[in-house]
Amino acid sequence: EFIAGFGDQVGNLSADAMARARASLLSRINQRDDALPDRADRYWRELDDEEFEFDSRERLSAAVEATTIGDMQQFVRRFGGPSTPALVIHAAGSVASGDGDSGQVTRLTILDHAAFKQSHAVF
């Protein structure tokens, strides 16, 4: 339902709205580390993700800059239509501890159902 509703929003997305959304996202991606532990955590995540150049923020920023409304519409057509039987979101990282404290997700990968079935055992 979210992806279908998102498709309607993308279909009506103006260039100005896309620019505002892009600027907001870039601001979050490139947010300065306020303290040394924040920077250390970011570097540990880079190591865990095997990003040994420590430039994932820069590469992600470049990808966001390059994303067009057409790219967004293509995503919705690929994953938001009734012909897509499932959209699997795989997140590797910490999870809620049960005491109300939600953990931080370190990675997010979006796979279509066919690719997931080909590369993973389905139980």
Side-chain angles (χ1 to χ4, degrees):
E1 290 177 13
F2 169 79
I3 296 294
F6 182 69
D8 294 338
Q9 290 179 352
V10 169
N12 298 321
L13 191 63
S14 69
D16 288 340
M18 179 71 173
R20 285 190 306 275
R22 179 182 289 122
S24 175
L25 182 56
L26 287 170
S27 173
R28 289 184 60 114
I29 291 169
N30 295 309
Q31 186 174 14
R32 182 180 166 102
D33 297 319
D34 290 330
L36 186 58
D38 296 334
R39 183 177 297 172
D41 287 344
R42 184 167 50 87
Y43 287 152
W44 279 114
R45 281 192 306 272
E46 298 259 347
L47 287 170
D48 185 49
D49 292 341
E50 298 182 9
E51 298 286 347
F52 303 123
E53 299 296 321
F54 299 97
D55 65 346
S56 65
R57 284 199 316 187
E58 291 81 7
R59 289 185 297 114
L60 182 57
S61 292
V64 168
E65 286 282 354
T67 300
T68 65
I69 293 173
D71 295 331
M72 302 286 288
Q73 291 168 340
Q74 181 181 8
F75 171 84
V76 170
R77 281 193 302 272
R78 180 170 181 203
F79 292 108
S83 63
T84 303
L87 175 64
V88 178
I89 299 177
H90 170 77
S94 301
V95 295
S97 63
D99 61 358
D101 182 21
S102 60
Q104 181 176 351
V105 174
T106 58
R107 255 182 288 198
L108 181 66
T109 305
I110 300 175
L111 302 168
D112 64 66
H113 187 63
F116 182 78
K117 284 174 51 175
Q118 289 174 1
S119 63
H120 295 79
V122 177
F123 300 100

